[in-house]
Amino acid sequence: AGVTVVGTNAVEADALSTALFVMGLQEGGAWLSRHPGCHALFIPDAQPARLRLSPGMRRLFQPAPGWADRVTD
């Protein structure tokens, strides 16, 4: 499990990735919406592996072949 954040600066992205990881997908996704310019990729601790993208991350992230069907918003 993990969270990757693209933000306006490295300090903000690092802090947000840690906070979102602790909050989890539901609460973290709502909290992320209050941080303009920040986008996240969530990797929940579940099998089969899936990727959850915030709306802005969808524009920035291209999954590897074979993973496209495992990516959701």
Side-chain angles (χ1 to χ4, degrees), residues 40-55:
L41 180 151
F42 291 84
I43 306 169
D45 188 16
Q47 293 298 324
R50 301 199 64 76
L51 305 176
R52 301 286 304 266
L53 305 178
S54 68

Side-chain angles (χ1 to χ4, degrees), residues 1-2 4 6-10 12 16 22-24 29-33 35 42-44 46 50 65 70:
T4 298
V6 174
T8 56
N9 64 66
E12 180 180 40
L16 276 173
V22 171
M23 287 182 214
W31 203 69
L32 180 66
S33 68
H35 292 81
F42 291 84
I43 306 169
R50 301 199 64 76
R70 296 182 187 196

